[in-house]
Amino acid sequence: MKRDPQLPEERSSSSSSSSSSSSSSPLGPGEGAELAAPVWIFGYGSLVWRPGFEFTSRKVGFIRGYSRRFWQGDTFHRGSEKMPGRVVTLLEDCAACTWGVAYEVRGEQIPASLEYLNMREAVLGGYDTKLVKFHPQEKDAEEPILALVYIATPQNPSYLGPASEEDIAAQIIVSSGCAGHNIEYLLRLADFMRYFCPQAEDKHLFSIEEALISILPCLYYTEESLEETASVPQKTKG
């Protein structure tokens, strides 16, 4: 049975791209209010379906030089102090690319979004900020867009590091936080990749999804199995 990834609707019917060759440092909370050009924010985890801030437009695309990994612990959004959840961060990998969504914020949206993300990603999540080159999925896109991205490094206290897909899936199954169950996080991210980036590969993500399915097969029902169930005569109580 297919699940709806429920990506946020665009706030604007028109979208515009911005390219930059600047190597300026990442913006902090409250900064960027005086910028004339728009700011782009790249999301590769829960931001792809729940940005939580106002934006002008969004683009699906990828960044090069990073792999997505469920190596970050979460004790607030998708877990607790006693039972940390597993969420994604980025690992430097020159041969890889990571797909996600870039959001364009302008004017008053800039300081408001940066303040919100600083609390959500940096304060509560332990993520650092970097600037990366974002490549839109659109075929007519010109130069890459310089975008802000949040990355959790091994230096933050919530970093869990590598583990087998089976162990990660087992941890996700038993974890839940203020934003919901850790299972929802995994499934929504897998749905995003499956429906919006069908040409891309993410073996790490889908291997964990497969491991979760093998542990909890009751979460998945195919249309065929539902039809078979419906066709089986039911016993009547006499």
Side-chain angles (χ1 to χ4, degrees), residues 7-76:
L7 283 179
E9 295 181 354
E10 292 188 11
R11 304 312 203 263
S12 171
S13 58
S14 62
S15 61
S16 61
S17 63
S18 165
S19 62
S20 172
S21 59
S22 171
S23 59
S24 59
S25 59
L27 301 173
E31 297 179 8
E34 299 179 357
L35 293 179
V39 171
W40 289 83
I41 300 166
F42 177 69
Y44 56 93
S46 60
L47 287 180
V48 303
W49 71 83
R50 188 176 65 86
F53 55 86
E54 293 294 326
F55 58 88
T56 301
S57 66
R58 73 170 187 268
K59 295 177 181 291
V60 174
F62 63 91
I63 61 173
R64 291 194 173 101
Y66 293 94
S67 294
R68 177 169 32 218
R69 292 290 183 269
F70 274 82
W71 290 4
Q72 172 69 357
D74 188 338
T75 60
F76 183 81

Side-chain angles (χ1 to χ4, degrees), residues 138-198:
E138 303 166 355
K139 294 182 179 180
D140 59 347
E142 298 179 355
E143 297 181 6
I145 300 169
L146 198 64
L148 180 69
V149 66
Y150 291 81
I151 300 175
T153 66
Q155 284 68 46
N156 80 76
S158 296
Y159 193 80
L160 296 177
S164 69
E165 285 80 4
E166 292 75 16
D167 287 344
I168 293 176
Q171 185 171 353
I172 287 174
I173 287 173
V174 297
S175 301
S176 181
C178 296
H181 205 287
N182 207 177
I183 293 177
E184 178 195 27
Y185 180 98
L186 169 64
L187 298 184
R188 282 186 180 272
L189 188 53
D191 275 343
F192 165 76
M193 288 296 297
R194 185 173 292 111
Y195 293 113
F196 293 90
C197 317

Side-chain angles (χ1 to χ4, degrees), residues 44 66 89-91 126-130 132 149-153 156:
Y44 56 93
Y66 293 94
T89 184
L90 295 178
L91 176 69
Y127 287 72
D128 296 328
T129 55
K130 289 187 178 182
V132 293
V149 66
Y150 291 81
I151 300 175
T153 66
N156 80 76

